[in-house]
Amino acid sequence: MSTERRPQVVTPPGESPTPPPTRRTFIATTTVVGGAAVAGGLIAAPPALAAEGTVVPEGPPGSRLSLTVNGVRRTVTVDNRTSLLDLLREHLDLTGSKKGCNAGACGACTVLVDGRRVNSCLTLAVRLEGAEVTTIEGLAQGDRLHPLQQAFIDQDAFQCGFCTSGQIVSGVGCIQEGHTGSPEEIREWMSGNLCRCGCYVKIERAVEQAAGRK
């Protein structure tokens, strides 16, 4: 049987002998010392980082924009990525223009810019400095409806009404452009406006009525 030999500890004269550290004592001591070193490093880190300065990310670029909306001059500061539709709905509280597909395919957001029909969801607001914008809210004269608005009522040219504002504004543009010579021409020039309820025949009749052909 082998005999384990402990290392001898030489004690100076006049001092009591110190027993050698056990395994448990050694682990406990190193854990405390290591934890203190790590904690000290964490505490010391912020001053070093602060000395380098803190970089604060900048917000998205914006621009100051002035345009006329329904006869009223408006000046706003917007993110350069803001669409005309979001400018109208989110900044000017003109919610008549609807956000349908938000991809220029349904026509629910149609407005007039300088008399021309545009899909406001695809039009950047910052490109319209000095422009004149007409939305569905700007067609009536006080309590007097625009002739096409009245024609939509007379012809019962809507059901759910979601596409109606875009249909009416597009119809006004169609009349102003002179594309109302026949039902076929009206259908062609109104084809960019979708009606999920299928009121196309009545919409066509309403445009004819407002154009004086019916």
Side-chain angles (χ1 to χ4, degrees), residues 146-157 205-207 209-210:
H146 185 279
L148 186 54
Q149 290 175 308
Q150 185 61 54
F152 262 67
I153 296 174
D154 296 342
Q155 298 294 334
D156 192 23
R205 291 173 182 170
V207 174
Q209 176 181 320

Side-chain angles (χ1 to χ4, degrees), residues 163-196:
C163 75
T164 302
S165 58
Q167 296 278 3
I168 291 176
V169 174
S170 185
V172 170
C174 185
I175 294 170
Q176 292 176 351
E177 295 160 11
H179 298 303
T180 59
S182 67
E184 293 75 20
E185 186 178 17
I186 292 173
R187 288 196 294 268
E188 174 67 24
W189 289 90
M190 289 288 292
S191 61
N193 291 79
L194 303 183
C195 175
R196 290 171 174 82

Side-chain angles (χ1 to χ4, degrees), residues 21-37:
T22 64
R23 181 172 180 272
R24 180 175 299 178
T25 303
F26 174 78
I27 293 175
T29 302
T30 54
T31 301
V32 172
V33 174

Side-chain angles (χ1 to χ4, degrees), residues 20 22 36 46 50 54 61 83 90 94 111 131 138 174 184 191 199:
T22 64
T54 302
S83 68
E90 307 298 334
L94 296 172
V111 300
C174 185
E184 293 75 20
S191 61
C199 295

Side-chain angles (χ1 to χ4, degrees), residues 71-171:
V72 179
R73 191 69 173 174
R74 304 277 194 154
T75 301
V76 294
T77 300
V78 296
D79 183 331
N80 289 344
R81 300 166 295 181
T82 301
S83 68
L84 174 57
L85 178 60
D86 285 339
L87 171 65
L88 294 172
R89 293 180 58 85
E90 307 298 334
H91 295 264
L92 303 182
D93 199 28
L94 296 172
T95 57
S97 303
K98 303 304 181 185
K99 181 176 285 190
C101 65
N102 204 35
C106 72
C109 67
T110 304
V111 300
L112 301 178
V113 175
D114 296 331
R116 295 176 53 252
R117 292 179 283 176
V118 302
N119 291 321
S120 59
C121 71
L122 297 183
T123 305
L124 285 176
V126 293
R127 300 185 63 182
L128 301 180
E129 174 67 34
E132 184 170 342
V133 178
T134 302
T135 71
I136 187 67
E137 292 91 344
L139 293 180
Q141 300 296 323
D143 294 333
R144 182 184 177 187
L145 296 177
H146 185 279
L148 186 54
Q149 290 175 308
Q150 185 61 54
F152 262 67
I153 296 174
D154 296 342
Q155 298 294 334
D156 192 23
F158 53 89
Q159 287 188 33
C160 77
F162 189 84
C163 75
T164 302
S165 58
Q167 296 278 3
I168 291 176
V169 174
S170 185

